[in-house]
Amino acid sequence: MTHSIESPILASNPKLYSFFPLFYMAWADAVLLPSEISAIESYIGKQSWLSKEESDFLRSFLNPKNPPSPQELKSWKRKINETSVEADDKLAAIGEKLSALKGSDLDENLKSSLKEIEAMMGIVSDESAFNLRAKERKTITQQLESKRSFDVQKMTQVLDGDNKAIIDKVKKVLADPQFNYLDTDNLSEYREQVFKWCQLLADQGFGSMAFPKEFGGEGDMKKYFAIMETLSYHDLSTVIKFGVQFGLWGMSVFFLGTEKHHKKYIKDIGSLKLPGCFAMTETGHGSNVKGVETTATYQHSSKSFVIHTPHNRAGKEYIGNAAVHGQMATVFAKLIIDDVDYGVNAFIVPLRNTDGKTEKGVTIEDCGRKMGLNGVDNGKIWFDQVNIPFENMLDRYASVDANGQFQSPITSDNRRFFTMLGTLVGGRIGIPRSGLSATKSGLTIAIRHGDKRKQFGPESGSEVPILNYRTHQRRLMPLLSNAYASHFALQYVTERFLNRKEEEMQEIEAMAAGLKAWSTWNTTHTLQECREACGGKGYLSENRIDRLKNDTDVYTTFEGDNTVLMQLVAKGRLSEFKKEFSDINFFGMMNYVAEKAKIGFTEMNPLIIRNTDEAHLLDAEFHLSAFRYREKDILTSAAKRFKKHLDAGMDSFDAFNQTQYHMVNVGHAYVERLILEQFLEGISKVEDQQCKDALTKLCQLFALSQIEKNKGWYLEHDYMTGSKTKAIRKMVNQLCWEVRQDAVALVDAFNIPDNCLSALIAVTK
């Protein structure tokens, strides 16, 4: 039996047309459920105005064994669309329009009955209108489009700041065909290409930028950081090898050495004439630098040092530049004089001659292929009684005098050690800035793709960009806000480091450690989300996310394991004095810390914790108060837990181990508050109002998405009610919707060169 909408029965009684929107919706998913059959059967039976022939005709549309054909369904829909379905039309209204079109008005009883059956079947009105709407009518989701509510070039200027000139110069150099990406699986070929790229960059003066003018540089550390960050839009192996050579190797000689070392080495390091390494990590000792076992034993008779690896696991491992190119290394080793251990010091140790042959007593092994960064030649190094000259000790903070006696202007071993490492904190600033560039690259690829890639849509309309879907916005928009937030925070810690004073170093080290951990974790998470958001296209190497993911994955563990760094941050937050954690007396200050952590009664006002007004939820003061409250409360709680263990007689080491989880949370809360403060501070300095408005919206999204992430904590501590956290979730949804409209412009403001981005799905032209 056919189900024609042109049946003579319909022509004789046009009121029957009112049933067809109902039939169409019931059959639209190709399955007529028993509950739907029962509801419609009951409804038909109650219509006393129907003749038996008409009732049988209508019931014929309810046989699951005889469904309408695809052609019949389409004919029903075409007929229904002749009524000009409106967005807010319910099924009853659509049925009424269809009957009227055929010359019959429905009485009030029939209209009421249609509404009842619609309610019984649970059909959503908007769904009805969307499914039955004519093609030319667009849904709200379809209408959402990218816009530019601000001048993209002005936003780029905001991000570049006073580094614009050097950033533009680096981008211009990277645009040269010499920097075209190399597509090869040959490890040696890739390593040599990376070395060549580093040489080209050194020829431009980029490598020596931070060194003094007398050694071929400009003495500008700020430009050096900007160079590293901009290079990170290109090949990340090049960035890391560049950083090892000019940052770790060069800066260790510069900061830990004295004038004699500067004159002898710095110029050749800056020009890459003298490739070198930074040999700190050992197989048995990664983050625990104080535990390194390599020794540097002073020889009175020859006034020299003997560098020695006492056993296999004391070998230096994962050392960049070591496997192929490194000729010398800054080696961290325990200084031994007359069988007395004077702690970890730094020494310049030759590895190879200019012909590439290893020096006597030096054994180097290639680490081989890695998960990423395969353009960097990482190696393992062992020393077998390697003799080095007296002047090869980097002696800015410690030295051996002419009589073979240890000398240092810093009497405390611990303080001297941390002072020495503090000068190298720049690495913990450079890595997250590099990771941020990779994050920006990933977001640019995923957001541009999401804006162009169309999938699904209302049945009667065209497909819509996937970036218009709330789930897609929820995946990417908070991460876009994280990237902007990290940018301002990392700029701040860079300035603090460049203008540091000795009494501020503990605070700066905590900032650098915390931001390195938070930002690189965010990089890893963001790139994974970008990969998934691009579907199969994100899995293709031609779109580069694979390389970004693999190359940055190690960022979470080198220059300090992130979890360990967060514990260091917590230690810094718990201590008001520049003392080592082993000196437990600083917990005598816990009463002071607890006093500082008291929360004003106004924040716990019942009206405030329930306030769901939009103005309140978007207020920066509310955001700051929530972040600060959480930080202080977690800090106080961790301190009390630690103190409780100590009072019970527990060893301080065990007490720290018992509270490690809380210590990591202290670090997270501190960093999140720091990032929010610096985001707001950065926005306050922006002069262009349109840029400021766009950044403010991003800042609101950053703050509320972090609060939403930690809503369980806020609920547990009665800082917010459930109704408020629900309102925050709704506001995050709304902000994601609004930020999406500017999302393409916001990633365009990163101004990443197309030749660096090198992703087919991100091409805009």
Side-chain angles (χ1 to χ4, degrees), residues 147 304 332 425 449 547:
K147 64 178 184 179
S304 62
F332 289 81
V425 76
H449 176 65
R547 182 65 64 85

Side-chain angles (χ1 to χ4, degrees), residues 339-499:
D339 296 326
V340 177
D341 183 349
Y342 286 93
V344 178
N345 287 268
F347 303 84
I348 295 176
V349 182
L351 301 179
R352 295 181 177 88
N353 60 27
T354 55
D355 294 327
K357 183 180 179 180
T358 54
E359 299 286 356
K360 182 182 178 181
V362 176
T363 300
I364 299 177
E365 182 179 305
D366 196 329
C367 286
R369 192 173 293 276
K370 308 180 292 291
M371 182 176 173
L373 298 177
N374 281 302
V376 182
D377 52 317
N378 295 95
K380 303 175 185 178
I381 310 173
W382 294 268
F383 303 101
D384 183 10
Q385 305 294 333
V386 176
N387 194 281
I388 62 171
F390 178 82
E391 60 270 17
N392 280 28
M393 181 179 183
L394 295 173
D395 54 359
R396 180 176 180 183
Y397 296 107
S399 62
V400 177
D401 65 19
N403 297 318
Q405 300 298 308
F406 180 78
Q407 301 291 334
S408 175
I410 305 173
T411 55
S412 165
D413 287 348
N414 278 333
R415 186 175 168 218
R416 182 170 59 254
F417 173 75
F418 285 109
T419 299
M420 177 177 68
L421 292 189
T423 61
L424 305 175
V425 76
R428 287 180 181 164
I429 296 173
I431 289 301
R433 288 185 63 167
S434 174
L436 177 58
S437 291
T439 299
K440 291 175 179 178
S441 294
L443 286 168
T444 301
I445 294 167
I447 287 173
R448 285 182 180 174
H449 176 65
D451 187 56
K452 295 185 299 180
R453 172 66 163 165
K454 294 184 177 182
Q455 285 283 279
F456 309 110
E459 185 175 340
S460 60
S462 59
E463 292 186 306
V464 301
I466 58 176
L467 200 55
N468 286 11
Y469 290 106
R470 174 155 288 170
T471 51
H472 214 72
Q473 294 165 9
R474 269 290 198 153
R475 298 172 79 172
L476 296 178
M477 298 306 103
L479 298 177
L480 180 59
S481 73
N482 286 359
Y484 269 84
S486 297
H487 177 93
F488 287 101
L490 289 169
Q491 292 294 321
Y492 170 73
V493 75
T494 300
E495 289 292 337
R496 288 291 305 272
F497 175 69
L498 295 176
N499 299 290

Side-chain angles (χ1 to χ4, degrees), residues 20 35 44 129 138 145 197 226 275 285 301 311 376 513 535 550 611 624 626 641 687 699 727 737 741:
F20 276 87
S35 59
I44 292 172
K138 286 189 174 183
E145 296 179 345
W197 281 334
H285 292 88
S301 58
H311 56 84
V376 182
N550 290 343
N611 193 344
L624 282 169
R641 288 172 186 272
E687 296 179 357
C699 188
W737 181 269
Q741 298 172 65

Side-chain angles (χ1 to χ4, degrees), residues 123-359:
I123 297 173
V124 180
S125 303
D126 287 348
E127 179 187 345
S128 306
F130 283 2
N131 284 343
L132 296 172
R133 185 179 297 159
K135 279 191 174 181
E136 63 270 14
R137 297 177 182 276
K138 286 189 174 183
T139 66
I140 295 172
T141 304
Q142 286 174 306
Q143 293 174 27
L144 187 61
E145 296 179 345
S146 292
K147 64 178 184 179
R148 292 178 180 246
S149 67
F150 57 88
D151 186 314
V152 172
Q153 289 187 342
K154 288 183 179 179
M155 185 67 83
T156 301
Q157 291 172 3
V158 169
L159 296 175
D160 290 351
D162 54 10
N163 290 318
K164 176 175 170 48
I166 190 65
I167 289 172
D168 288 347
K169 182 178 180 181
V170 174
K171 289 178 180 176
K172 186 174 182 180
V173 170
L174 291 176
D176 188 277
Q178 290 277 0
F179 284 90
N180 288 347
Y181 288 120
L182 177 67
D183 185 11
T184 181
D185 287 328
N186 186 300
L187 207 59
S188 297
E189 185 181 8
Y190 186 22
R191 287 173 171 179
E192 289 308 312
Q193 180 61 70
V194 167
F195 185 77
K196 178 182 177 182
W197 281 334
C198 284
Q199 185 62 69
L200 293 173
L201 296 171
D203 293 344
Q204 292 289 330
F206 295 156
S208 59
M209 183 62 67
F211 300 144
K213 293 181 179 179
E214 59 265 33
F215 304 122
E218 295 185 20
D220 197 327
M221 190 73 176
K222 186 173 184 177
K223 283 185 179 179
Y224 175 81
F225 281 126
I227 290 168
M228 283 281 290
E229 184 172 317
T230 309
L231 289 175
S232 298
Y233 292 133
H234 189 252
D235 179 82
L236 290 169
S237 285
T238 304
V239 175
I240 298 306
K241 194 172 183 73
F242 183 97
V244 168
Q245 172 65 23
F246 307 114
L248 294 178
W249 161 231
M251 291 300 173
S252 63
V253 174
F254 182 71
F255 283 123
L256 301 181
T258 49
E259 186 177 8
K260 60 180 177 289
H261 304 110
H262 301 165
K263 290 181 176 180
K264 186 173 182 179
Y265 298 111
I266 294 297
K267 190 170 184 178
D268 286 346
I269 292 174
S271 67
L272 199 49
K273 183 179 179 181
L274 180 59
C277 312
F278 183 82
M280 177 182 282
T281 300
E282 295 182 358
T283 303
H285 292 88
S287 297
N288 182 20
V289 180
K290 288 183 70 176
V292 298
E293 297 179 87
T294 301
T295 57
T297 304
Y298 181 69
Q299 304 293 308
H300 289 279
S301 58
S302 59
K303 292 188 176 181
S304 62
F305 299 95
V306 174
I307 309 297
H308 185 64
T309 305
H311 56 84
N312 188 63
R313 288 185 57 79
K316 301 296 182 180
E317 186 168 6
Y318 219 92
I319 308 305
N321 273 0
V324 179
H325 299 118
Q327 295 178 12
M328 287 190 166
T330 295
V331 175
F332 289 81
K334 295 189 296 184
L335 173 61
I336 308 296
I337 304 176
D338 297 327
D339 296 326
V340 177
D341 183 349
Y342 286 93
V344 178
N345 287 268
F347 303 84
I348 295 176
V349 182
L351 301 179
R352 295 181 177 88
N353 60 27
T354 55
D355 294 327
K357 183 180 179 180
T358 54
E359 299 286 356

